[in-house]
Amino acid sequence: MIKSRLLGLAILVLAWTGQGKAQFAHTDHKQIVDAAGKPLLIRATNLGNWLVPEGYMWLLKDGPQSPSEIRALVLELLGPEGSAAFWQKWRENYVTREDIALLHRAGFNAIRVPLHYSLFESDDAEGFKLLDRLIGWSRAENLYLILDLHAAPGGQTGANIDDSVGYPWLYQSAKEQDHLLAIWRRLATHYRDEPEVLGYDLLNEPIPNFPKLAPLNPSLEPLYKKLTGEIRKVDGHHILFLGGAQWDTNFAVFGKPFDANTAYTFHKYWTAPDESVIQQYVDFRERYDVPIWMGESGENTDEWIAQFVKTLEKNNIGWAFWPYKKMEKASAVVSVTPPADWEKIVEFGKLPRGTGHVEERLKVRPEQETITRAFDELLENVRLQKCRVNEGYLRALGMKADIAASSGGGPAK
């Protein structure tokens, strides 16, 4: 009797486990497959600049570049109440239901979402509300999401993109590693039962290619192992994406795969768009029988992008080009028109910061009316209806190009 009951229980557990796995995309040898086991070639864009602002997408050349530097400039120009209201509206307007619908119409099947750790410091933090809303829209449009920790505690790069202090202390600080583990444990607990989430990109572009930082390379895979162990305590469903060192380019830091549901991700910018630049990753895939994925590329001509997409897909490599939306430039799905007088904000942003420069900054500070009007207009211009759809960029990606928003800037030919 007891043996019979135990056998019945075992069958139920196996059935439940199999059913759970069947609800989620996962890895299968060299491929990523959907819940039904059908091969899934990821064709995605990146929601850069939404939750992790970057200076170049604000045209802030020679000025603030990291999220903290940009927030400091906005705080200086708009004040405490004004800047808080600005950022709330920014996050509401930059990515909306209409943006996700446009991506579906274009033919994308996934979205990579860069995250800042500070938005996920508690179970009821703002970041979860924003992501939950985004998941609802993505579910309605049949799009997967890849959660990308772009800015990690302590900094995985020490550069502007992770919003750190100028050095990647993450690899040497036990406190910051514990902080990182807590962030991913919280994210994995919240989304462990969400099949619309394709997987977790654990660290964006760790360890720059600066010679001074090369000694940190041996620390990367052990950190990934710690993260994997912590996530697997609460979430056995989702794919874990592991990026190489030196801005996600160096796979030599990896040994034999240590998790059964893991893919390896690389980034490629400003290289030849041919097979020579991806061969090392294809070789890695063959050696270890694991999927590889190109998580970022772009910032180039439409001709280059078209050639690189062809190279990737010829080699059965999915991709996520960067970015979805940015100011003025056409190397994105949609472009934002700069506000009137934005050049005055840009020029002010170039001035030396710090309390030792207050007097000289005040002498050339734009009038408050000009400042307020420029930022109000920016919040309007980032809305999809005011943006320009870049048809040439979409065609280069192999997407449908005739998908202009219902009103606003219209397509760019």
Tab-separated table of all heavy atoms in Angstrom, residues 77-136:
chain	number	residue	atom	x	y	z
A	77	LEU	N	18.653	70.983	-13.124
A	77	LEU	CA	17.882	71.846	-14.014
A	77	LEU	C	16.407	71.937	-13.644
A	77	LEU	O	15.777	72.972	-13.871
A	77	LEU	CB	18.016	71.352	-15.457
A	77	LEU	CG	19.400	71.520	-16.094
A	77	LEU	CD1	19.445	70.858	-17.458
A	77	LEU	CD2	19.771	72.999	-16.197
A	78	LEU	N	15.832	70.862	-13.072
A	78	LEU	CA	14.394	70.849	-12.795
A	78	LEU	C	14.059	70.880	-11.309
A	78	LEU	O	12.890	71.095	-10.949
A	78	LEU	CB	13.746	69.611	-13.426
A	78	LEU	CG	13.778	69.524	-14.951
A	78	LEU	CD1	13.077	68.256	-15.416
A	78	LEU	CD2	13.133	70.754	-15.590
A	79	GLY	N	15.031	70.636	-10.437
A	79	GLY	CA	14.756	70.630	-9.003
A	79	GLY	C	14.196	69.308	-8.521
A	79	GLY	O	13.868	68.430	-9.325
A	80	PRO	N	14.065	69.127	-7.203
A	80	PRO	CA	13.629	67.833	-6.644
A	80	PRO	C	12.250	67.384	-7.125
A	80	PRO	O	12.098	66.249	-7.593
A	80	PRO	CB	13.630	68.091	-5.127
A	80	PRO	CG	14.561	69.246	-4.930
A	80	PRO	CD	14.432	70.093	-6.156
A	81	GLU	N	11.260	68.240	-7.009
A	81	GLU	CA	9.913	67.851	-7.420
A	81	GLU	C	9.830	67.691	-8.934
A	81	GLU	O	9.248	66.720	-9.443
A	81	GLU	CB	8.877	68.879	-6.954
A	81	GLU	CG	8.682	68.938	-5.448
A	81	GLU	CD	9.706	69.821	-4.754
A	81	GLU	OE1	10.549	70.423	-5.469
A	81	GLU	OE2	9.674	69.907	-3.506
A	82	GLY	N	10.411	68.629	-9.651
A	82	GLY	CA	10.344	68.590	-11.104
A	82	GLY	C	11.056	67.385	-11.690
A	82	GLY	O	10.567	66.759	-12.624
A	83	SER	N	12.230	67.032	-11.147
A	83	SER	CA	12.965	65.892	-11.679
A	83	SER	C	12.262	64.583	-11.350
A	83	SER	O	12.214	63.666	-12.183
A	83	SER	CB	14.400	65.878	-11.154
A	83	SER	OG	14.431	65.754	-9.743
A	84	ALA	N	11.686	64.472	-10.152
A	84	ALA	CA	10.948	63.256	-9.797
A	84	ALA	C	9.762	63.051	-10.734
A	84	ALA	O	9.498	61.938	-11.206
A	84	ALA	CB	10.479	63.317	-8.350
A	85	ALA	N	9.039	64.142	-11.020
A	85	ALA	CA	7.895	64.060	-11.932
A	85	ALA	C	8.362	63.723	-13.346
A	85	ALA	O	7.706	62.955	-14.064
A	85	ALA	CB	7.125	65.374	-11.924
A	86	PHE	N	9.510	64.279	-13.743
A	86	PHE	CA	10.038	64.006	-15.077
A	86	PHE	C	10.324	62.522	-15.245
A	86	PHE	O	9.917	61.910	-16.247
A	86	PHE	CB	11.312	64.812	-15.336
A	86	PHE	CG	12.026	64.404	-16.591
A	86	PHE	CD1	11.622	64.889	-17.819
A	86	PHE	CD2	13.080	63.490	-16.542
A	86	PHE	CE1	12.261	64.484	-18.990
A	86	PHE	CE2	13.729	63.082	-17.705
A	86	PHE	CZ	13.319	63.580	-18.929
A	87	TRP	N	11.027	61.913	-14.291
A	87	TRP	CA	11.421	60.511	-14.456
A	87	TRP	C	10.218	59.573	-14.427
A	87	TRP	O	10.190	58.563	-15.136
A	87	TRP	CB	12.454	60.123	-13.406
A	87	TRP	CG	13.787	60.732	-13.663
A	87	TRP	CD1	14.454	61.630	-12.888
A	87	TRP	CD2	14.626	60.498	-14.806
A	87	TRP	NE1	15.648	61.978	-13.475
A	87	TRP	CE2	15.778	61.304	-14.651
A	87	TRP	CE3	14.513	59.711	-15.943
A	87	TRP	CZ2	16.814	61.322	-15.594
A	87	TRP	CZ3	15.536	59.726	-16.897
A	87	TRP	CH2	16.668	60.521	-16.708
A	88	GLN	N	9.237	59.913	-13.633
A	88	GLN	CA	8.036	59.088	-13.628
A	88	GLN	C	7.357	59.127	-15.000
A	88	GLN	O	6.951	58.086	-15.550
A	88	GLN	CB	7.063	59.556	-12.550
A	88	GLN	CG	5.797	58.702	-12.482
A	88	GLN	CD	4.851	59.154	-11.384
A	88	GLN	OE1	5.112	60.131	-10.685
A	88	GLN	NE2	3.757	58.439	-11.217
A	89	LYS	N	7.250	60.321	-15.562
A	89	LYS	CA	6.608	60.467	-16.874
A	89	LYS	C	7.470	59.847	-17.971
A	89	LYS	O	6.948	59.273	-18.932
A	89	LYS	CB	6.369	61.956	-17.167
A	89	LYS	CG	5.339	62.214	-18.252
A	89	LYS	CD	3.947	61.825	-17.781
A	89	LYS	CE	2.900	62.195	-18.813
A	89	LYS	NZ	1.550	61.738	-18.417
A	90	TRP	N	8.781	59.953	-17.825
A	90	TRP	CA	9.698	59.350	-18.789
A	90	TRP	C	9.439	57.850	-18.900
A	90	TRP	O	9.310	57.306	-19.990
A	90	TRP	CB	11.139	59.625	-18.361
A	90	TRP	CG	12.199	58.874	-19.102
A	90	TRP	CD1	12.718	57.645	-18.797
A	90	TRP	CD2	12.889	59.312	-20.288
A	90	TRP	NE1	13.686	57.284	-19.698
A	90	TRP	CE2	13.814	58.286	-20.624
A	90	TRP	CE3	12.813	60.457	-21.078
A	90	TRP	CZ2	14.659	58.391	-21.728
A	90	TRP	CZ3	13.668	60.553	-22.181
A	90	TRP	CH2	14.562	59.533	-22.491
A	91	ARG	N	9.361	57.175	-17.755
A	91	ARG	CA	9.175	55.727	-17.768
A	91	ARG	C	7.784	55.342	-18.292
A	91	ARG	O	7.605	54.281	-18.870
A	91	ARG	CB	9.429	55.155	-16.374
A	91	ARG	CG	10.912	55.209	-15.995
A	91	ARG	CD	11.217	54.435	-14.744
A	91	ARG	NE	10.896	55.157	-13.528
A	91	ARG	CZ	11.751	55.933	-12.858
A	91	ARG	NH1	12.989	56.115	-13.305
A	91	ARG	NH2	11.391	56.531	-11.735
A	92	GLU	N	6.817	56.231	-18.103
A	92	GLU	CA	5.479	55.973	-18.637
A	92	GLU	C	5.409	56.166	-20.147
A	92	GLU	O	4.726	55.407	-20.846
A	92	GLU	CB	4.463	56.911	-17.966
A	92	GLU	CG	4.174	56.598	-16.507
A	92	GLU	CD	3.228	57.615	-15.898
A	92	GLU	OE1	2.771	58.522	-16.630
A	92	GLU	OE2	2.952	57.514	-14.684
A	93	ASN	N	6.102	57.181	-20.657
A	93	ASN	CA	5.968	57.561	-22.059
A	93	ASN	C	6.926	56.841	-23.000
A	93	ASN	O	6.615	56.651	-24.176
A	93	ASN	CB	6.186	59.075	-22.221
A	93	ASN	CG	5.016	59.890	-21.705
A	93	ASN	OD1	4.096	59.336	-21.111
A	93	ASN	ND2	5.059	61.193	-21.906
A	94	TYR	N	8.102	56.457	-22.485
A	94	TYR	CA	9.141	55.938	-23.372
A	94	TYR	C	8.764	54.576	-23.955
A	94	TYR	O	9.039	54.282	-25.117
A	94	TYR	CB	10.468	55.841	-22.617
A	94	TYR	CG	11.681	55.849	-23.503
A	94	TYR	CD1	12.269	57.048	-23.897
A	94	TYR	CD2	12.270	54.665	-23.946
A	94	TYR	CE1	13.392	57.068	-24.712
A	94	TYR	CE2	13.389	54.673	-24.763
A	94	TYR	CZ	13.947	55.876	-25.131
A	94	TYR	OH	15.065	55.899	-25.944
A	95	VAL	N	8.145	53.720	-23.144
A	95	VAL	CA	7.681	52.413	-23.613
A	95	VAL	C	6.224	52.267	-23.213
A	95	VAL	O	5.893	52.258	-22.027
A	95	VAL	CB	8.512	51.263	-23.006
A	95	VAL	CG1	7.923	49.912	-23.433
A	95	VAL	CG2	9.968	51.368	-23.443
A	96	THR	N	5.352	52.145	-24.206
A	96	THR	CA	3.916	52.051	-23.972
A	96	THR	C	3.351	50.825	-24.691
A	96	THR	O	4.052	50.124	-25.424
A	96	THR	CB	3.197	53.305	-24.498
A	96	THR	OG1	3.325	53.338	-25.930
A	96	THR	CG2	3.797	54.576	-23.905
A	97	ARG	N	2.087	50.605	-24.490
A	97	ARG	CA	1.393	49.501	-25.180
A	97	ARG	C	1.554	49.620	-26.688
A	97	ARG	O	1.737	48.613	-27.392
A	97	ARG	CB	-0.093	49.533	-24.798
A	97	ARG	CG	-0.962	48.507	-25.494
A	97	ARG	CD	-0.665	47.098	-24.992
A	97	ARG	NE	-1.588	46.105	-25.539
A	97	ARG	CZ	-1.492	45.574	-26.756
A	97	ARG	NH1	-0.523	45.949	-27.578
A	97	ARG	NH2	-2.356	44.656	-27.166
A	98	GLU	N	1.516	50.854	-27.202
A	98	GLU	CA	1.618	51.069	-28.641
A	98	GLU	C	3.000	50.689	-29.166
A	98	GLU	O	3.130	50.186	-30.293
A	98	GLU	CB	1.315	52.532	-28.976
A	98	GLU	CG	-0.145	52.929	-28.820
A	98	GLU	CD	-0.563	53.072	-27.353
A	98	GLU	OE1	0.332	53.223	-26.486
A	98	GLU	OE2	-1.771	53.015	-27.079
A	99	ASP	N	4.045	50.926	-28.370
A	99	ASP	CA	5.392	50.535	-28.788
A	99	ASP	C	5.495	49.028	-28.969
A	99	ASP	O	6.076	48.535	-29.944
A	99	ASP	CB	6.419	50.994	-27.741
A	99	ASP	CG	6.584	52.494	-27.691
A	99	ASP	OD1	7.279	53.044	-28.562
A	99	ASP	OD2	6.014	53.123	-26.785
A	100	ILE	N	4.940	48.283	-28.029
A	100	ILE	CA	5.024	46.827	-28.103
A	100	ILE	C	4.199	46.301	-29.273
A	100	ILE	O	4.615	45.367	-29.972
A	100	ILE	CB	4.559	46.203	-26.771
A	100	ILE	CG1	5.340	46.820	-25.589
A	100	ILE	CG2	4.749	44.691	-26.798
A	100	ILE	CD1	6.843	46.815	-25.742
A	101	ALA	N	3.067	46.910	-29.523
A	101	ALA	CA	2.249	46.509	-30.674
A	101	ALA	C	2.994	46.762	-31.984
A	101	ALA	O	2.919	45.956	-32.929
A	101	ALA	CB	0.920	47.259	-30.656
A	102	LEU	N	3.715	47.881	-32.060
A	102	LEU	CA	4.485	48.187	-33.266
A	102	LEU	C	5.570	47.131	-33.491
A	102	LEU	O	5.800	46.695	-34.622
A	102	LEU	CB	5.101	49.582	-33.152
A	102	LEU	CG	5.953	50.025	-34.348
A	102	LEU	CD1	5.657	51.462	-34.724
A	102	LEU	CD2	7.442	49.857	-34.055
A	103	LEU	N	6.237	46.699	-32.432
A	103	LEU	CA	7.284	45.680	-32.569
A	103	LEU	C	6.697	44.365	-33.067
A	103	LEU	O	7.313	43.665	-33.881
A	103	LEU	CB	8.007	45.492	-31.237
A	103	LEU	CG	8.870	46.681	-30.791
A	103	LEU	CD1	9.437	46.440	-29.400
A	103	LEU	CD2	9.998	46.933	-31.787
A	104	HIS	N	5.508	44.037	-32.598
A	104	HIS	CA	4.832	42.830	-33.090
A	104	HIS	C	4.517	42.961	-34.575
A	104	HIS	O	4.751	42.029	-35.359
A	104	HIS	CB	3.548	42.593	-32.293
A	104	HIS	CG	2.672	41.523	-32.868
A	104	HIS	ND1	2.925	40.185	-32.692
A	104	HIS	CD2	1.565	41.599	-33.650
A	104	HIS	CE1	2.008	39.478	-33.327
A	104	HIS	NE2	1.176	40.310	-33.912
A	105	ARG	N	3.991	44.109	-34.971
A	105	ARG	CA	3.654	44.314	-36.384
A	105	ARG	C	4.894	44.215	-37.273
A	105	ARG	O	4.831	43.739	-38.402
A	105	ARG	CB	2.986	45.675	-36.591
A	105	ARG	CG	1.610	45.809	-35.966
A	105	ARG	CD	0.826	46.951	-36.583
A	105	ARG	NE	1.496	48.239	-36.497
A	105	ARG	CZ	1.430	49.051	-35.446
A	105	ARG	NH1	0.736	48.683	-34.358
A	105	ARG	NH2	2.046	50.212	-35.446
A	106	ALA	N	6.017	44.664	-36.740
A	106	ALA	CA	7.251	44.634	-37.518
A	106	ALA	C	7.770	43.222	-37.718
A	106	ALA	O	8.510	42.960	-38.678
A	106	ALA	CB	8.317	45.482	-36.830
A	107	GLY	N	7.417	42.311	-36.810
A	107	GLY	CA	7.858	40.931	-36.954
A	107	GLY	C	8.850	40.449	-35.927
A	107	GLY	O	9.354	39.319	-36.020
A	108	PHE	N	9.175	41.279	-34.933
A	108	PHE	CA	10.045	40.814	-33.853
A	108	PHE	C	9.318	39.738	-33.038
A	108	PHE	O	8.087	39.735	-32.950
A	108	PHE	CB	10.414	41.978	-32.928
A	108	PHE	CG	11.297	43.025	-33.569
A	108	PHE	CD1	10.745	44.167	-34.129
A	108	PHE	CD2	12.669	42.865	-33.601
A	108	PHE	CE1	11.549	45.139	-34.727
A	108	PHE	CE2	13.485	43.824	-34.190
A	108	PHE	CZ	12.927	44.959	-34.760
A	109	ASN	N	10.082	38.842	-32.435
A	109	ASN	CA	9.467	37.849	-31.561
A	109	ASN	C	9.941	37.945	-30.115
A	109	ASN	O	9.520	37.157	-29.268
A	109	ASN	CB	9.669	36.421	-32.093
A	109	ASN	CG	11.135	36.016	-32.189
A	109	ASN	OD1	12.012	36.676	-31.634
A	109	ASN	ND2	11.397	34.926	-32.899
A	110	ALA	N	10.821	38.906	-29.826
A	110	ALA	CA	11.333	39.035	-28.459
A	110	ALA	C	11.855	40.453	-28.232
A	110	ALA	O	12.114	41.203	-29.186
A	110	ALA	CB	12.444	38.019	-28.196
A	111	ILE	N	12.023	40.796	-26.957
A	111	ILE	CA	12.545	42.094	-26.547
A	111	ILE	C	13.529	41.868	-25.409
A	111	ILE	O	13.231	41.165	-24.442
A	111	ILE	CB	11.425	43.035	-26.040
A	111	ILE	CG1	10.328	43.192	-27.081
A	111	ILE	CG2	11.989	44.391	-25.659
A	111	ILE	CD1	9.073	43.874	-26.531
A	112	ARG	N	14.710	42.431	-25.522
A	112	ARG	CA	15.685	42.414	-24.421
A	112	ARG	C	15.513	43.707	-23.631
A	112	ARG	O	15.517	44.799	-24.209
A	112	ARG	CB	17.105	42.278	-24.954
A	112	ARG	CG	18.204	42.182	-23.889
A	112	ARG	CD	19.526	41.828	-24.553
A	112	ARG	NE	20.642	41.745	-23.628
A	112	ARG	CZ	21.574	42.698	-23.452
A	112	ARG	NH1	21.485	43.835	-24.144
A	112	ARG	NH2	22.561	42.522	-22.609
A	113	VAL	N	15.383	43.560	-22.312
A	113	VAL	CA	15.043	44.707	-21.465
A	113	VAL	C	16.190	45.014	-20.491
A	113	VAL	O	16.378	44.311	-19.500
A	113	VAL	CB	13.759	44.440	-20.651
A	113	VAL	CG1	13.291	45.728	-19.972
A	113	VAL	CG2	12.665	43.862	-21.524
A	114	PRO	N	16.992	46.051	-20.752
A	114	PRO	CA	18.050	46.427	-19.818
A	114	PRO	C	17.470	46.953	-18.501
A	114	PRO	O	16.574	47.815	-18.510
A	114	PRO	CB	18.803	47.537	-20.565
A	114	PRO	CG	18.467	47.315	-22.007
A	114	PRO	CD	17.055	46.821	-22.007
A	115	LEU	N	17.990	46.437	-17.384
A	115	LEU	CA	17.476	46.769	-16.053
A	115	LEU	C	18.554	47.422	-15.203
A	115	LEU	O	19.743	47.112	-15.333
A	115	LEU	CB	16.983	45.509	-15.338
A	115	LEU	CG	15.977	44.626	-16.079
A	115	LEU	CD1	15.661	43.389	-15.239
A	115	LEU	CD2	14.710	45.395	-16.394
A	116	HIS	N	18.118	48.300	-14.293
A	116	HIS	CA	18.992	48.902	-13.282
A	116	HIS	C	18.628	48.288	-11.936
A	116	HIS	O	17.465	48.278	-11.536
A	116	HIS	CB	18.797	50.415	-13.247
A	116	HIS	CG	19.878	51.159	-12.525
A	116	HIS	ND1	20.124	50.984	-11.170
A	116	HIS	CD2	20.778	52.080	-12.964
A	116	HIS	CE1	21.128	51.771	-10.817
A	116	HIS	NE2	21.553	52.435	-11.891
A	117	TYR	N	19.631	47.779	-11.239
A	117	TYR	CA	19.357	47.065	-9.979
A	117	TYR	C	18.578	47.896	-8.976
A	117	TYR	O	17.806	47.367	-8.172
A	117	TYR	CB	20.674	46.591	-9.354
A	117	TYR	CG	21.476	47.688	-8.676
A	117	TYR	CD1	21.286	47.977	-7.327
A	117	TYR	CD2	22.408	48.446	-9.384
A	117	TYR	CE1	22.000	48.991	-6.703
A	117	TYR	CE2	23.129	49.452	-8.778
A	117	TYR	CZ	22.930	49.722	-7.437
A	117	TYR	OH	23.627	50.725	-6.823
A	118	SER	N	18.743	49.222	-9.013
A	118	SER	CA	18.114	50.080	-8.013
A	118	SER	C	16.598	50.068	-8.101
A	118	SER	O	15.914	50.471	-7.152
A	118	SER	CB	18.622	51.524	-8.160
A	118	SER	OG	18.215	52.075	-9.405
A	119	LEU	N	16.059	49.598	-9.221
A	119	LEU	CA	14.608	49.542	-9.384
A	119	LEU	C	14.001	48.268	-8.814
A	119	LEU	O	12.782	48.073	-8.874
A	119	LEU	CB	14.254	49.641	-10.870
A	119	LEU	CG	14.554	50.986	-11.547
A	119	LEU	CD1	14.407	50.871	-13.053
A	119	LEU	CD2	13.646	52.080	-11.005
A	120	PHE	N	14.850	47.392	-8.215
A	120	PHE	CA	14.371	46.083	-7.730
A	120	PHE	C	14.899	45.776	-6.336
A	120	PHE	O	15.223	44.635	-6.016
A	120	PHE	CB	14.795	44.993	-8.718
A	120	PHE	CG	14.271	45.213	-10.104
A	120	PHE	CD1	15.039	45.891	-11.040
A	120	PHE	CD2	13.008	44.787	-10.448
A	120	PHE	CE1	14.549	46.122	-12.315
A	120	PHE	CE2	12.500	45.019	-11.719
A	120	PHE	CZ	13.277	45.693	-12.656
A	121	GLU	N	14.951	46.789	-5.488
A	121	GLU	CA	15.522	46.631	-4.158
A	121	GLU	C	14.531	46.082	-3.129
A	121	GLU	O	14.908	45.791	-2.003
A	121	GLU	CB	16.079	47.971	-3.654
A	121	GLU	CG	17.256	48.499	-4.455
A	121	GLU	CD	18.569	47.818	-4.107
A	121	GLU	OE1	18.548	46.657	-3.649
A	121	GLU	OE2	19.615	48.459	-4.282
A	122	SER	N	13.275	45.946	-3.506
A	122	SER	CA	12.270	45.367	-2.606
A	122	SER	C	11.235	44.643	-3.449
A	122	SER	O	11.158	44.826	-4.669
A	122	SER	CB	11.594	46.456	-1.763
A	122	SER	OG	10.843	47.337	-2.584
A	123	ASP	N	10.427	43.824	-2.797
A	123	ASP	CA	9.437	43.026	-3.529
A	123	ASP	C	8.348	43.868	-4.182
A	123	ASP	O	7.688	43.410	-5.119
A	123	ASP	CB	8.787	42.003	-2.581
A	123	ASP	CG	9.761	40.935	-2.130
A	123	ASP	OD1	10.777	40.729	-2.826
A	123	ASP	OD2	9.529	40.314	-1.077
A	124	ASP	N	8.150	45.083	-3.671
A	124	ASP	CA	7.121	45.953	-4.250
A	124	ASP	C	7.738	47.165	-4.944
A	124	ASP	O	7.104	48.201	-5.090
A	124	ASP	CB	6.133	46.408	-3.168
A	124	ASP	CG	6.805	47.203	-2.055
A	124	ASP	OD1	8.065	47.236	-2.004
A	124	ASP	OD2	6.077	47.796	-1.226
A	125	ALA	N	8.984	47.040	-5.390
A	125	ALA	CA	9.695	48.154	-6.020
A	125	ALA	C	9.066	48.529	-7.355
A	125	ALA	O	8.375	47.723	-7.997
A	125	ALA	CB	11.160	47.791	-6.209
A	126	GLU	N	9.352	49.761	-7.782
A	126	GLU	CA	8.765	50.278	-9.014
A	126	GLU	C	9.113	49.416	-10.221
A	126	GLU	O	8.301	49.241	-11.133
A	126	GLU	CB	9.238	51.714	-9.269
A	126	GLU	CG	8.657	52.336	-10.535
A	126	GLU	CD	9.275	53.661	-10.890
A	126	GLU	OE1	10.236	54.083	-10.215
A	126	GLU	OE2	8.804	54.280	-11.861
A	127	GLY	N	10.331	48.861	-10.253
A	127	GLY	CA	10.746	48.076	-11.403
A	127	GLY	C	9.818	46.911	-11.685
A	127	GLY	O	9.548	46.583	-12.845
A	128	PHE	N	9.314	46.263	-10.633
A	128	PHE	CA	8.401	45.141	-10.836
A	128	PHE	C	7.085	45.602	-11.450
A	128	PHE	O	6.516	44.918	-12.308
A	128	PHE	CB	8.148	44.406	-9.521
A	128	PHE	CG	9.329	43.609	-9.048
A	128	PHE	CD1	10.016	43.969	-7.903
A	128	PHE	CD2	9.764	42.500	-9.759
A	128	PHE	CE1	11.106	43.234	-7.463
A	128	PHE	CE2	10.853	41.752	-9.335
A	128	PHE	CZ	11.532	42.124	-8.182
A	129	LYS	N	6.605	46.745	-11.027
A	129	LYS	CA	5.362	47.270	-11.603
A	129	LYS	C	5.543	47.565	-13.093
A	129	LYS	O	4.665	47.255	-13.912
A	129	LYS	CB	4.933	48.528	-10.847
A	129	LYS	CG	4.615	48.307	-9.368
A	129	LYS	CD	4.248	49.609	-8.683
A	129	LYS	CE	3.853	49.391	-7.215
A	129	LYS	NZ	4.969	48.873	-6.397
A	130	LEU	N	6.681	48.141	-13.447
A	130	LEU	CA	6.945	48.450	-14.856
A	130	LEU	C	7.090	47.178	-15.680
A	130	LEU	O	6.535	47.068	-16.786
A	130	LEU	CB	8.219	49.297	-14.960
A	130	LEU	CG	8.140	50.703	-14.368
A	130	LEU	CD1	9.526	51.322	-14.255
A	130	LEU	CD2	7.231	51.601	-15.198
A	131	LEU	N	7.833	46.202	-15.162
A	131	LEU	CA	8.021	44.952	-15.895
A	131	LEU	C	6.723	44.148	-15.996
A	131	LEU	O	6.431	43.553	-17.038
A	131	LEU	CB	9.094	44.102	-15.226
A	131	LEU	CG	10.553	44.390	-15.586
A	131	LEU	CD1	11.464	43.377	-14.917
A	131	LEU	CD2	10.774	44.389	-17.088
A	132	ASP	N	5.949	44.112	-14.915
A	132	ASP	CA	4.674	43.383	-14.956
A	132	ASP	C	3.758	43.951	-16.040
A	132	ASP	O	3.095	43.203	-16.766
A	132	ASP	CB	3.982	43.451	-13.596
A	132	ASP	CG	4.698	42.654	-12.522
A	132	ASP	OD1	5.622	41.883	-12.866
A	132	ASP	OD2	4.346	42.807	-11.331
A	133	ARG	N	3.732	45.266	-16.127
A	133	ARG	CA	2.922	45.902	-17.173
A	133	ARG	C	3.445	45.546	-18.561
A	133	ARG	O	2.675	45.223	-19.476
A	133	ARG	CB	2.934	47.418	-16.960
A	133	ARG	CG	2.026	48.185	-17.903
A	133	ARG	CD	2.008	49.663	-17.558
A	133	ARG	NE	3.322	50.274	-17.744
A	133	ARG	CZ	3.606	51.557	-17.490
A	133	ARG	NH1	2.666	52.345	-16.991
A	133	ARG	NH2	4.808	52.034	-17.710
A	134	LEU	N	4.759	45.597	-18.716
A	134	LEU	CA	5.376	45.254	-19.993
A	134	LEU	C	5.098	43.801	-20.375
A	134	LEU	O	4.826	43.485	-21.544
A	134	LEU	CB	6.888	45.499	-19.914
A	134	LEU	CG	7.704	45.160	-21.157
A	134	LEU	CD1	7.279	46.017	-22.338
A	134	LEU	CD2	9.203	45.341	-20.875
A	135	ILE	N	5.137	42.900	-19.399
A	135	ILE	CA	4.852	41.489	-19.670
A	135	ILE	C	3.414	41.319	-20.149
A	135	ILE	O	3.140	40.536	-21.070
A	135	ILE	CB	5.131	40.641	-18.411
A	135	ILE	CG1	6.641	40.508	-18.208
A	135	ILE	CG2	4.485	39.262	-18.509
A	135	ILE	CD1	7.035	39.862	-16.895
A	136	GLY	N	2.486	42.048	-19.547
A	136	GLY	CA	1.100	41.982	-19.993
A	136	GLY	C	0.957	42.398	-21.443
A	136	GLY	O	0.268	41.737	-22.237
